[in-house]
Amino acid sequence: MGKQRGLCRRRQNQGKIAHKRIKHQEIMVKRDDDGISALPDCLLLEILSRLPSTKDAIRTGTLSKRWEHLWTWVPTLIFSTKTGPPTQRLQNSKPRDEFPLLVDKTLTQCRQIKLKKFILHTYYDTRFESQFNNWIRYAISCNVEELNLEFWGSETEFLLNEFIFINSCFTDLRLAGCKVNSSGAISWENVRSLCISGVNVDEDLIVNIVSGSPLLGTLVFEYCRWLNITSESEASDIIRKCVPTSLSLTQCRQLKLLKKFKLYAHYDIQFQSQLNNLILYAIRCNVEDLNLRLWNHAYDDEFVLDQIVFTSSCFTELRVGGCMLNPVGAISWKSLQSLCISEHISLDEDLIENILCGSPVLETLELDDCYGFRRLNITSKSVKNLVLCGYEVPYGGFEADMIEINAPNISSLTMEGWNFLCKPLLLNVSSFVKAHLDFSFTKLEHRQKKPNEVEEELLKGCIMNLRHVKELQLGVVCSKVLSGLEAKGFVSPSNVKLAGGLR
C-alpha cells in the first residue's frame, strides 16, 4: 500500500511538472508571437528597411528565431561611420580599420537579389579603395535603385569607377566627396534625382550629365568647386579625363521633367558666366522649384542674377540667397507661390513693392537676414504667410531703427532670430490668426537700459498688438523674456502658448 501511495504521489508530481513545462512553453511561444512578429515578412522587411543603419537591422536578429536571419533579406543596406563628432571620426583610426571587415562580412550573408537602396558614408582611406569599389559593384549587381555615396577626410578624393557612369538601374543618385571623371558619355537613363556635393565641376561635366540623364526631375549641386580650365597645367592638376564635348550648356536639349534645381556654391567673379549658364539652363527647362545660395566673403562682390530670372513665369517656389536683386523693369513671377530671400540681401521699399506686384499668386514671403527697408507694406490679398528671420546689416550697410509692418491680409506671422537689430512695429495686422515669436533684440544703441528691459518692452508691445490672434506661440527666447514680465505683474493674454507646450 505504501509503495502504491508513493507511486501515485510521483505520478501526480510528474503531472504537475509536465503541466508547468507546457505553460512555460506557451509563455515562450506568446513572447515570440508578439504583435510585430505576427506580421508578414514583407511588412517586417519594410520596418527593418527604415532603421538608421544595417547594423541596427542585424541587432534585431537576437529578438527571436523568427528574426534571426530576417535582416539578410532587407532590400536596403546602410553603412556609415558617421558616429561621434567629426574630430573624433578623423582621429580614431580603429573604427576605420574595422569598418571594411564589418561591411565585407555583412555582404557575404546578404541574400537579397534586388536592392532598393545602398548608402555608404565613410572616411576615405586609400588602403580600402578596392573594397569600396567591390561594395558598389555588389550594389549594382543587385540592380540598386538609390545609390548614395559620401566620402570625407582625405586630401585624395575617391575616384569613381567607370561602371557607375553607364548604368540604367539608378533612379536616385547622390555623389559626395568623389572624383567624377567619366572617360566617355554618361548614361543614366532612369535617374530621376541627382545630387552632386563637394565635387570638382565644370561645364563639360554638366553637359555630359544632362545629356545622359533624360528623366531628371531633381538636380542639385552643393558646395562644389567650380573649375575654369584655361591651360594644360590646370587640366593636369584637376586630372580630368572627361572627353570634351562639342556642345555648350545653352545647346543641350531641354530636360522636360526637371522640376527642382538647387545650387549652393561659393561665388567667385570668374565663375559668374558658368553659374548663370547653369541657372538659365534650369529656367529653359521650366523648373518650378529654384533654390540658389551663392555666398562670398566680400559683401561688395555679390552674385549678379541674369535679368531673365526676374521675368520667368515657371517658378512656383523660389529661394535666393547671397545674390544681388537688381531687376531692370517690372518683375514678373506669375506662378510664384513661395519666396525666400536670405543671406544679407539689401532690399528697399520699391524693390519689395516690385516683387509683390509681380507675384499675383504669392502666398508665403520669407525674409532671412535681409536689410535696407524701413517699412513692409504687404497689401497683396494673396500673401497669407510672412516670415522674418533677423535683420542683419553687413558693415557699412543701411541700418533702420524701426521696421513698420503693415500687413492687413496676412493670417500667419513668424518672427525669429538672434539678430533683430530693429524694433518691429506692428501696424494693421487685423487678419492675423496665428503668430510665432522667437527673436532677440540686439541693437547696441538701445542698450542704455538693461538688456532684459529692452527685450521685455519690445515683447510686451508685440503681445499687446497680437492679443486678438487665435494662437500666439512664443519660442524659447521669448518665453524666457515673458517669464521676466510676468514676475513684474504683467498678465499675458490667454492666447499665448509657450515653447514645448509649457504654461
Side-chain angles (χ1 to χ4, degrees):
M1 288 289 292
K3 288 182 179 180
Q4 287 180 349
R5 286 177 183 171
L7 184 62
C8 287
R9 286 195 191 99
R10 280 196 298 271
R11 286 177 179 173
Q12 287 175 355
N13 290 335
Q14 287 173 354
K16 287 179 181 178
I17 293 170
H19 182 68
K20 286 180 179 179
R21 283 176 180 169
I22 291 170
K23 278 196 168 183
H24 179 71
Q25 288 173 357
E26 287 177 353
I27 291 170
M28 292 305 293
V29 168
K30 284 181 180 178
R31 283 180 182 173
D32 280 354
D33 192 25
D34 57 61
I36 296 179
S37 295
L39 295 172
D41 284 355
C42 60
L43 290 181
L44 293 179
L45 291 175
E46 180 64 26
I47 292 171
L48 294 181
S49 296
R50 294 173 182 268
L51 293 177
S53 72
T54 296
K55 189 175 182 180
D56 294 319
I58 294 172
R59 286 172 178 162
T60 63
T62 61
L63 296 176
S64 70
K65 284 286 184 182
R66 171 83 189 280
W67 291 80
E68 188 174 0
H69 300 293
L70 194 61
W71 69 268
T72 63
W73 297 98
V74 176
T76 296
L77 292 175
I78 303 173
F79 302 107
S80 176
T81 55
K82 281 187 174 180
T83 55
T87 52
Q88 207 174 71
R89 284 186 241 144
L90 294 177
Q91 293 171 358
N92 193 353
S93 61
K94 186 177 179 182
R96 297 207 304 264
D97 293 341
E98 294 174 351
F99 180 71
L101 299 175
L102 172 66
V103 178
D104 282 339
K105 182 180 178 181
T106 301
L107 294 183
T108 57
Q109 299 178 68
C110 289
R111 305 178 188 180
Q112 66 277 73
I113 301 173
K114 169 69 178 173
L115 272 179
K116 288 185 179 179
K117 182 189 295 184
F118 183 85
I119 297 177
L120 175 61
H121 293 173
T122 186
Y123 179 92
Y124 176 54
D125 191 324
T126 54
R127 294 177 298 164
F128 308 121
E129 183 169 356
S130 62
Q131 285 168 283
F132 295 153
N133 275 312
N134 287 339
W135 303 341
I136 298 169
R137 281 184 186 275
Y138 173 84
I140 292 176
S141 71
C142 294
N143 293 312
V144 65
E145 295 177 13
E146 180 181 339
L147 182 65
N148 186 329
L149 305 176
E150 181 178 341
F151 297 91
W152 70 83
S154 174
E155 293 181 2
T156 306
E157 295 172 307
F158 175 66
L159 179 62
L160 292 172
N161 203 295
E162 288 298 318
F163 59 76
I164 290 180
F165 300 106
I166 307 174
N167 204 291
S168 60
C169 64
F170 305 140
T171 59
D172 192 313
L173 190 57
R174 181 175 182 271
L175 305 173
C178 307
K179 188 173 290 184
V180 183
N181 293 328
S182 173
S183 61
I186 288 174
S187 180
W188 290 328
E189 296 176 0
N190 292 308
V191 172
R192 267 75 171 175
S193 176
L194 174 63
C195 176
I196 304 288
S197 179
V199 171
N200 289 339
V201 173
D202 65 13
E203 189 164 327
D204 280 349
L205 175 60
I206 295 171
V207 168
N208 202 354
I209 288 172
V210 299
S211 299
S213 313
L215 300 183
L216 269 180
T218 299
L219 181 57
V220 177
F221 292 96
E222 291 181 320
Y223 313 111
C224 292
R225 295 173 290 277
W226 296 89
L227 307 173
N228 196 359
I229 303 176
T230 56
S231 68
E232 291 184 6
S233 61
E234 287 178 353
S236 61
D237 290 340
I238 298 162
I239 321 178
R240 292 281 295 156
K241 296 193 292 183
C242 182
V243 176
T245 175
S246 58
L247 290 175
S248 67
L249 198 54
T250 57
Q251 297 171 312
C252 282
R253 66 182 176 183
Q254 180 181 344
L255 292 173
K256 296 181 179 180
L257 300 180
L258 189 64
K259 301 300 179 186
K260 183 175 182 178
F261 178 76
K262 179 179 177 181
L263 175 61
Y264 283 11
H266 180 270
Y267 167 61
D268 192 293
I269 189 67
Q270 63 178 314
F271 304 127
Q272 171 144 339
S273 176
Q274 283 179 297
L275 294 173
N276 260 322
N277 283 342
L278 186 52
I279 296 168
L280 294 179
Y281 175 75
I283 293 174
R284 189 158 61 85
C285 295
N286 293 313
V287 67
E288 295 177 4
D289 183 347
L290 181 64
N291 188 339
L292 305 176
R293 183 175 171 229
L294 303 166
W295 65 92
N296 191 289
H297 297 303
Y299 288 114
D300 58 347
D301 193 19
E302 294 174 303
F303 182 82
V304 180
L305 290 170
D306 192 282
Q307 291 300 312
I308 293 176
V309 174
F310 300 104
T311 56
S312 297
S313 59
C314 58
F315 307 140
T316 59
E317 184 170 344
L318 178 61
R319 300 181 70 87
V320 181
C323 305
M324 182 182 295
L325 300 185
N326 59 337
V328 177
I331 288 174
S332 181
W333 290 329
K334 296 178 181 179
S335 303
L336 190 63
Q337 298 173 15
S338 177
L339 173 63
C340 174
I341 303 174
S342 63
E343 303 286 332
H344 314 106
I345 292 181
S346 176
L347 301 172
D348 58 29
E349 286 86 349
D350 290 338
L351 179 54
I352 294 172
E353 182 67 19
N354 194 354
I355 290 170
L356 295 173
C357 290
S359 311
V361 296
L362 185 67
E363 297 175 3
T364 299
L365 176 63
E366 179 178 346
L367 303 180
D368 187 349
D369 286 340
C370 297
Y371 69 100
F373 52 90
R374 294 180 184 274
R375 180 183 177 91
L376 282 177
N377 193 37
I378 305 175
T379 57
S380 168
K381 293 183 178 180
S382 66
V383 180
K384 299 300 180 185
N385 306 303
L386 176 61
V387 180
L388 300 175
C389 298
Y391 185 101
E392 187 170 357
V393 182
Y395 181 77
F398 168 79
E399 183 177 325
D401 182 66
M402 181 179 294
I403 301 176
E404 296 179 349
I405 300 175
N406 179 45
N409 300 308
I410 295 289
S411 59
S412 174
L413 171 68
T414 298
M415 291 198 299
E416 56 189 12
W418 288 86
N419 44 11
F420 248 90
L421 293 171
C422 303
K423 285 185 177 181
L425 177 62
L426 303 178
L427 300 177
N428 187 351
V429 291
S430 56
S431 297
F432 281 16
V433 176
K434 183 179 179 181
H436 176 81
L437 306 179
D438 195 23
F439 58 87
S440 177
F441 185 63
T442 59
K443 191 174 177 65
L444 296 176
E445 284 81 352
H446 291 270
R447 291 303 189 180
Q448 296 91 341
K449 300 181 181 180
K450 293 181 180 179
N452 286 345
E453 291 180 357
V454 175
E455 292 173 347
E456 287 171 2
E457 181 184 329
L458 178 59
L459 181 62
K460 182 178 179 180
C462 287
I463 289 176
M464 297 311 294
N465 282 328
L466 297 171
R467 59 185 178 275
H468 66 284
V469 174
K470 185 177 180 180
E471 181 182 339
L472 176 55
Q473 187 177 48
L474 302 185
V476 175
V477 178
C478 286
S479 293
K480 291 179 180 178
V481 178
L482 181 63
S483 298
L485 276 172
E486 290 179 333
K488 296 177 182 178
F490 174 72
V491 179
S492 58
S494 59
N495 65 338
V496 175
K497 296 182 179 179
L498 302 187
L502 300 174
R503 199 56 175 118

